[in-house]
Amino acid sequence: MAATLIDSVVFSEMFSTNAMSEIFSDRQRIQYYLDVEAALARVQAQLSIIPQEAADEICRHCHAVEIDFARLKSQTELIGYPVLGVVQQLVALCSGGAGQWCHWGTTTQDITDTATVLQIRAALGLVETEVDAIVDALANLAKDYRDTPMVARSNLQQAVPITFGYKAAVWLAGFHRHQQRLQEIKKRVLVGEFGGAAGNLASLGDRGLAVQSGIMEALKLGTPIIAWHTMRDRITEVACLLGLITGTLGKIALDIKLMAQTEVGEVTEPFTAGRGASSTMPQKHNPVSSVYISGMVPIIRQQVAALLNAMEEDHERATGTWEIEWVVLPEIFCLSAAALAQARFALSGLNVHPENMLRNLKLTGGLVSSEAVMMALGPKIGREKAHDLVYRICSEAIETGRPFAELLKENTEVASKISDDEVDKLLDPKNYLGLCGEMVDRTLAKQER
């Protein structure tokens, strides 16, 4: 039985996705090793470094289904790394001594790092798909609720009126930036590794760079300018980007949880029979997706920190810090995939309740529009004086429970500058939405480009 939630029969689709878990599975990892070995053999045969017949035989057996995983487990425990065990089995599978040309002039870390980059490329493809779906869902929310008034909150207190479309557009703008980052990162990260023992390709003499570029072309990866065996910024940058993306998910999940509180009731997650049910309280509809996102994001953040620590590698080949990547990079991707999938589900079917948003805007009896009153009085009596005057009236409304509008209309200083009709207009939250609509439009315009 699996010990971690990522591999659990019960929890695996909540803490990962099948597609992402498959990329980082033993079988697929070994297949990527073999893909690199096959590319190496083909290129070296083309350059007449190894016989063509040997390359053909090696490539014929570069399939993970031919690897004995029980034996590989024993070999890895003995050697410390799985690549040599794979190579030993590949050599044995090849007939006529062709296997002796396998792994020619390369080293364990070349194969491992390049395979890791192949994993990252496949995994980023899944991440991009989810991010794009989330962008579409957020764009729909921003468009559909462009002019739906709700209250903005500062320090968890009611601040001023905004629209829900504006709130969704703020989330959307963050994901537009993540889309940009995903494109920008590829040229730096999707670069293979092939340097030999210490990175200088001494084992292949003056043919080393030709082999290196040939392998990367065959695998459709960037060619490194110089070895990066112990310069781990490529791997860590990917992790940091996932930390940023899931950090944004964490912010959105927190907003949804707060807005979904019974007393607030402004949004609820999509409802399907039994989802979010309580074992004892039949009325409950818990925000499942947001809860799981909130649970996973801090773990991802800590694992990103582990990779930042792993950048401190000694000399040209490291002792131990490299292995940190083996543990945490798959988990970062798996947890991120789960968080993205949960977010896509929640946002694509989010239930929005405009009537409750309007109800909450009215909770303070107009106090949420006090800034509008202050700004209307400011040009007439001065901003600071207007602030102090409106502050005193607000305090009186809170202390006495009397309507804010009545107190404003009764105040002689206010009444001398603003009519009762103007007060009513100023206190209507729909009249103090600022440029919410225009900002939504600008954000959606970026989406359309």
Side-chain angles (χ1 to χ4, degrees):
M1 297 293 287
T4 71
L5 296 185
I6 288 174
D7 298 315
S8 165
V9 173
V10 177
F11 287 104
S12 59
E13 279 287 281
M14 301 180 79
F15 287 89
S16 184
T17 63
N18 286 335
M20 189 63 81
S21 292
E22 175 58 26
I23 289 171
F24 291 95
S25 67
D26 283 340
R27 178 177 59 252
Q28 190 57 51
R29 183 187 305 109
I30 299 308
Q31 185 57 60
Y32 283 132
Y33 292 167
L34 293 168
D35 290 344
V36 181
E37 293 285 0
L40 171 63
R42 282 195 298 269
V43 169
Q44 289 182 331
Q46 291 166 7
L47 294 172
S48 300
I49 295 172
I50 70 172
Q52 183 64 55
E53 300 78 16
D56 292 342
E57 180 66 8
I58 290 167
C59 292
R60 197 163 20 250
H61 295 286
C62 283
H63 304 287
V65 293
E66 296 192 50
I67 298 298
D68 182 336
F69 278 81
R71 183 182 167 203
L72 180 59
K73 177 179 182 294
S74 299
Q75 291 170 310
T76 302
E77 290 170 352
L78 178 65
I79 300 164
Y81 306 99
V83 168
L84 182 53
V86 172
V87 171
Q88 288 174 342
Q89 292 196 38
L90 183 55
V91 169
L93 287 166
C94 294
S95 62
Q100 296 303 320
W101 295 101
C102 178
H103 202 68
W104 194 264
T106 188
T107 191
T108 290
Q109 190 164 357
D110 289 339
I111 305 302
T112 304
D113 281 349
T114 304
T116 298
V117 173
L118 292 174
Q119 287 179 306
I120 288 171
R121 182 172 65 188
L124 285 179
L126 298 181
V127 170
E128 278 190 283
T129 298
E130 294 288 7
V131 166
D132 290 347
I134 289 169
V135 163
D136 289 342
L138 290 173
N140 288 335
L141 289 171
K143 180 180 179 181
D144 293 346
Y145 298 99
R146 175 188 187 275
D147 302 312
T148 302
M150 67 173 293
V151 67
R153 296 174 173 94
S154 172
N155 291 312
L156 292 179
Q157 305 300 302
Q158 291 201 355
V160 296
I162 56 171
T163 69
F164 182 63
Y166 168 83
K167 190 178 190 75
V170 170
W171 298 341
L172 174 61
F175 267 91
H176 282 160
R177 294 189 290 276
H178 292 323
Q179 285 180 314
Q180 289 177 328
R181 293 181 179 109
L182 279 165
Q183 294 307 311
E184 292 165 356
I185 200 175
K186 292 177 183 178
K187 64 180 180 293
R188 292 187 296 274
V189 168
L190 300 184
V191 176
E193 176 72 287
F194 183 77
N200 62 353
L201 287 170
S203 58
L204 292 171
D206 61 1
R207 314 298 297 278
L209 292 179
V211 174
Q212 182 190 76
S213 61
I215 293 170
M216 301 315 154
E217 183 179 352
L219 296 172
K220 295 181 172 57
L221 295 176
T223 301
I225 294 173
I226 195 167
W228 52 277
H229 286 144
T230 52
M231 293 297 291
R232 310 308 290 177
D233 54 286
R234 301 183 198 278
I235 306 299
T236 308
E237 184 178 1
V238 174
C240 287
L241 175 54
L242 292 174
L244 286 172
I245 292 171
T246 57
T248 300
L249 293 182
K251 182 273 187 293
I252 294 173
L254 177 59
D255 281 355
I256 290 174
K257 286 188 298 183
L258 291 171
M259 295 169 71
Q261 292 178 99
T262 305
E263 295 83 355
V264 180
E266 294 176 344
V267 301
T268 50
E269 287 190 4
F271 180 78
T272 55
R275 181 175 172 83
S278 165
S279 64
T280 184
M281 294 167 281
Q283 85 282 4
K284 293 284 295 294
H285 177 199
N286 296 320
V288 176
S289 291
S290 299
V291 166
Y292 273 89
I293 291 169
S294 296
M296 289 184 281
V297 169
I299 301 171
I300 295 167
R301 190 177 299 126
Q302 294 306 310
Q303 290 174 321
V304 172
L307 284 186
L308 288 166
N309 287 332
M311 293 181 72
E312 296 181 8
E313 297 201 350
D314 47 290
H315 298 305
E316 282 62 56
R317 297 288 293 279
T319 50
T321 44
W322 184 40
E323 284 78 353
I324 294 173
E325 295 176 7
W326 304 2
V327 177
V328 302
L329 186 66
E331 293 184 359
I332 289 171
F333 267 108
C334 288
L335 291 170
S336 296
L340 285 162
Q342 293 284 358
R344 181 185 52 153
F345 173 83
L347 292 169
S348 296
L350 192 68
N351 298 308
V352 182
H353 308 295
E355 68 284 358
N356 289 344
M357 292 177 175
L358 189 59
R359 178 201 67 198
N360 293 335
L361 272 170
K362 296 178 179 179
L363 277 178
T364 61
L367 290 175
V368 73
S369 298
S370 63
E371 184 186 74
V373 178
M374 181 191 76
M375 294 306 294
L377 282 171
K380 304 175 188 298
I381 64 174
R383 195 211 69 84
E384 188 172 358
K385 186 175 181 182
H387 174 277
D388 293 344
L389 173 60
V390 175
Y391 177 82
R392 290 196 301 272
I393 297 172
C394 286
S395 298
E396 184 179 354
I398 293 169
E399 290 170 2
T400 64
R402 292 189 61 199
F404 184 44
E406 287 184 13
L407 294 174
L408 285 170
K409 293 172 182 178
E410 289 177 4
N411 185 278
T412 56
E413 193 168 5
V414 173
S416 68
K417 304 296 181 182
I418 302 177
S419 69
D420 287 358
D421 285 345
E422 287 178 298
V423 168
D424 290 336
K425 289 178 181 178
L426 289 169
L427 294 186
D428 185 343
K430 295 178 182 177
N431 295 329
Y432 200 67
L433 296 174
L435 299 175
C436 283
E438 288 83 349
M439 291 181 178
V440 170
D441 294 341
R442 290 202 305 177
T443 307
L444 289 173
K446 181 176 178 62
Q447 166 93 354
E448 292 165 2
R449 289 199 297 271

